[in-house]
Amino acid sequence: MYNVWIKRKTSNEVDTIVLPLFEEKLQVEDKEINKKLARLKNKDQFKGSFGEIAELTRNVNDVIQDVIILGLGKEEDVNREKLRRAFGKVQKTIEKLKSEEIFLEFININNISVEESLKIISEGLNLSAYKFDKYKKNKSEQKVINIYIDGQEIDDIKIKDYEKSLDETNNIVKSIYDARDIVNEPANVIYPETLGIKAIEFGEKYNFEVEIFNDIEIEALGMDAFLSVGKGSDNKPRLIIMRYFGDEENKDKKIGLVGKGITYDAGGYSIKSTEGMVTMKADMGGAATVIGAMCSIAKNKLKANVIAVVAACENLISGHAYKPGDIINSMAGKTIEVLNTDAEGRLTLIDAITYIIRNEKVNEVIDVATLTGAAVVSLGTDVTAVVTNNNEFYNELKKATDITGEKMWQMPNFDDYKKLIESDIADLKNIGGKYAGAITAGLFVGEFVENKSWLHLDIAGPAYIDSSWDYCVKGATGAGIRTLYELIKNRI
């Protein structure tokens, strides 16, 4: 990770300087750099377009210093997410140049405060710097990289406030790193029992309470839908409960987070292809998101009470596995006709939701899941599909995404869609057919929220990516962690 400092060093004391510039203001104070910039501009080799990067050098006291010029495009077009992405790109150049001591000339962005800009810059750099190479013989060298930020807009009186905000951001980024790690681990390393152990470790590290129920205790709770999914595996299910009480004066006011925790999904008897199975270690991305959210909320000591629940299991084939055509029960008492064993995540979610409402007494619920391919077909790979029963709750989510830049889109939830999950022989069926799959999956989960305000986040697209972009590295992304944190923080 980058250590981001305010002031501390000047531009002459480092090996690299970074100069962000708007395309209509391609000038700096240094004459040597200005000449080189003018030459590049005249040859149409650098225009300052958004994300464009030029690599230069300059002589400082007979020492050659690398210079990174970052184009931000037109000043009026720059927003929070563009700034974050721009510094994700810069990180790749810093890494290529093997820079270790960097000076960044701060640039003021319209409608974004200095404090917020500093946080965004830190996010872009650090999220882009993540690596998962623990199983490689030749691992990346873990260097301490320091970046020093200064500029006319940096107010000396507010340095402690800036540093406090940067500490908050670093805690969130570290939580995202931890969440990315547990998703990127193979399924022979992270399975229900070891995911529970990881949760306990995170609880000790970030200071929240963790309780784990084994399969016998889960059965005693009547969580038949959850247990049915896990029957095919020798790795027994675990129910992971995490509790953080940051608002002791209002202990009855609790928000519930539920994450899908399928640590490996072969599809059961509705088996996936080999190609479809390869990344199914990532089917616990929703669990990682709520665990990461708990870590960041607790570490930054938000004044809120948050309960998170993960129903962790594997969906495999054996003589004990559940089958298409089975009718199973649920903790809520509703029966379900199983038409597809690969629509398993919703079956684990509903029991976890019933548990968190009835046993933990939460007032509202957000569930997060890599639930449907239909969400990806509908919205693409970088957008979260949202189903809700409360538009005010959704508006809070959207306000949070305005800060975080994470793309989320509300799906329609007309009552007619519910007819698609009606069963002739049980209370519900676990798939709604080939139409509106992301919506019917969400509405199936919604049948178990017991009139609580509820948001369903289908992160099947953005949770795990095939190629890196800007500040997201190939593999697990930690999608949704920053937005959940921001939503809860905005209530304080």
Side-chain angles (χ1 to χ4, degrees):
M1 285 184 67
Y2 285 73
N3 293 325
V4 181
W5 309 99
I6 308 301
K7 302 210 176 228
R8 305 278 183 112
K9 284 191 177 183
T10 68
S11 60
N12 291 341
E13 299 176 277
V14 297
D15 57 57
T16 304
I17 62 172
V18 178
L19 302 172
L21 297 174
F22 299 116
E23 64 179 52
E24 61 267 37
K25 297 178 182 178
L26 291 182
Q27 279 194 326
V28 296
E29 292 182 5
D30 187 281
K31 292 181 180 179
E32 180 184 358
I33 295 174
N34 259 337
K35 286 182 181 179
K36 293 179 178 179
L37 261 178
R39 183 173 180 273
L40 290 175
K41 185 178 179 182
N42 290 337
K43 296 179 73 175
D44 286 333
Q45 292 177 351
F46 184 80
K47 298 180 180 180
S49 303
F50 172 74
E52 192 178 8
I53 288 177
E55 298 173 32
L56 308 174
T57 59
R58 71 167 183 169
N59 188 312
V60 180
N61 300 323
D62 293 327
V63 175
I64 299 300
Q65 186 182 63
D66 287 311
V67 179
I68 300 171
I69 308 294
L70 170 64
L72 293 177
K74 290 186 166 78
E75 184 172 2
E76 65 267 23
D77 293 339
V78 180
N79 56 31
R80 296 178 181 91
E81 179 64 1
K82 277 195 167 185
L83 187 63
R84 191 178 290 110
R85 289 183 176 224
F87 278 92
K89 295 176 187 289
V90 164
Q91 193 283 138
K92 303 294 193 295
T93 306
I94 290 171
E95 188 175 289
K96 183 177 74 171
L97 295 173
K98 299 182 179 179
S99 306
E100 295 183 20
E101 296 281 300
I102 302 138
F103 178 88
L104 168 62
E105 182 72 34
F106 183 83
I107 188 168
N108 191 48
I109 309 290
N110 287 336
N111 302 318
I112 307 176
S113 69
V114 172
E115 187 173 319
E116 193 174 2
S117 291
L118 292 170
K119 291 172 65 176
I120 290 168
I121 290 167
S122 180
E123 276 183 352
L125 290 168
N126 280 305
L127 291 175
S128 176
Y130 171 83
K131 285 181 173 56
F132 186 81
D133 58 4
K134 65 183 286 187
Y135 296 107
K136 284 180 171 285
K137 184 176 180 180
N138 299 318
K139 299 178 179 62
S140 303
E141 187 179 354
Q142 297 297 314
K143 291 183 178 180
V144 175
I145 301 176
N146 294 302
I147 186 159
Y148 307 94
I149 304 178
D150 200 357
Q152 293 181 352
E153 293 81 5
I154 302 291
D155 188 341
D156 289 352
I157 297 174
K158 295 182 178 179
I159 286 179
K160 286 188 176 179
D161 292 333
Y162 299 151
E163 290 176 343
K164 185 178 178 182
S165 292
L166 287 170
D167 285 342
E168 177 189 21
T169 300
N170 284 341
N171 290 334
I172 296 169
V173 170
K174 287 174 183 175
S175 300
I176 293 171
Y177 272 35
D178 284 336
R180 287 177 174 180
D181 280 349
I182 57 175
V183 177
N184 284 327
E185 287 283 5
N188 61 321
V189 173
I190 293 294
Y191 44 91
E193 181 182 0
T194 55
L195 182 60
I197 291 169
K198 276 291 183 184
I200 291 170
E201 291 174 0
F202 293 146
E204 293 170 351
K205 177 180 176 181
Y206 292 101
N207 197 27
F208 58 86
E209 175 190 338
V210 180
E211 185 176 8
I212 311 289
F213 291 170
N214 62 29
D215 56 314
I216 296 170
E217 293 166 312
I218 295 166
E219 185 175 11
L221 288 167
M223 303 179 85
D224 292 349
F226 170 29
L227 285 173
S228 293
V229 175
K231 279 181 178 178
S233 175
D234 290 339
N235 290 318
K236 300 300 182 185
R238 292 291 186 273
L239 186 68
I240 304 166
I241 303 104
M242 295 157 278
R243 304 181 185 96
Y244 168 74
F245 292 98
D247 187 6
E248 293 283 348
E249 295 174 359
N250 297 289
K251 266 201 164 183
D252 59 336
K253 190 176 181 182
K254 293 175 282 192
I255 186 168
L257 306 178
V258 175
K260 176 183 171 183
I262 307 296
T263 58
Y264 190 78
D265 180 21
Y269 277 106
S270 304
I271 194 166
K272 297 177 185 290
S273 66
T274 300
E275 183 181 2
M277 286 189 210
V278 170
T279 59
M280 282 299 103
K281 64 180 185 179
D283 212 21
M284 41 72 71
T289 292
V290 302
I291 290 171
M294 287 296 289
C295 292
S296 57
I297 289 163
K299 186 64 175 178
N300 285 326
K301 299 179 180 178
L302 293 190
K303 191 176 180 181
N305 301 320
V306 187
I307 311 295
V309 171
V310 170
C313 67
E314 295 178 324
N315 185 26
L316 302 178
I317 290 176
S318 77
H320 302 289
Y322 77 139
K323 303 171 289 297
D326 285 356
I327 295 178
I328 61 176
N329 212 330
S330 63
M331 186 178 178
K334 294 181 181 181
T335 57
I336 301 151
E337 181 186 8
V338 177
L339 296 183
N340 188 320
T341 61
D342 197 23
E344 84 299 329
R346 65 201 73 182
L347 301 176
T348 65
L349 287 173
I350 60 174
D351 277 352
I353 285 172
T354 301
Y355 172 85
I356 206 171
I357 291 171
R358 295 184 180 180
N359 294 51
E360 299 295 333
K361 311 296 184 187
V362 299
N363 309 104
E364 50 198 347
V365 178
I366 302 174
D367 78 81
V368 189
T370 51
L371 205 63
T372 67
V376 186
V377 172
S378 298
L379 300 176
T381 57
D382 61 347
V383 182
T384 293
V386 183
V387 178
T388 185
N389 62 1
N390 187 312
N391 285 329
E392 289 183 12
F393 203 8
Y394 176 74
N395 289 337
E396 285 188 75
L397 181 75
K398 283 298 293 178
K399 183 179 178 183
T401 63
D402 289 342
I403 301 298
T404 65
E406 295 192 285
K407 298 174 184 173
M408 301 193 182
W409 192 259
Q410 184 177 4
M411 307 296 276
N413 62 350
F414 304 121
D415 286 341
D416 285 346
Y417 286 124
K418 294 181 181 179
K419 295 176 183 176
L420 298 175
I421 53 174
E422 292 177 358
S423 168
D424 293 333
I425 56 175
D427 294 319
L428 297 164
K429 56 186 179 183
N430 76 325
I431 57 170
K434 63 182 180 179
Y435 301 117
I439 298 168
T440 56
L443 291 176
F444 177 89
V445 175
E447 288 292 307
F448 295 82
V449 300
E450 301 184 12
N451 295 317
K452 301 293 183 185
S453 293
W454 160 72
L455 292 168
H456 163 72
L457 310 185
D458 190 338
I459 58 171
Y464 195 90
I465 57 178
D466 294 331
S467 58
S468 300
W469 57 265
D470 299 340
Y471 61 84
C472 279
V473 181
K474 181 180 178 179
T477 64
I481 292 173
R482 291 182 296 118
T483 295
L484 291 179
Y485 177 88
E486 197 67 34
L487 185 154
I488 291 168
K489 180 186 174 183
N490 284 344
R491 292 181 161 193
I492 299 170

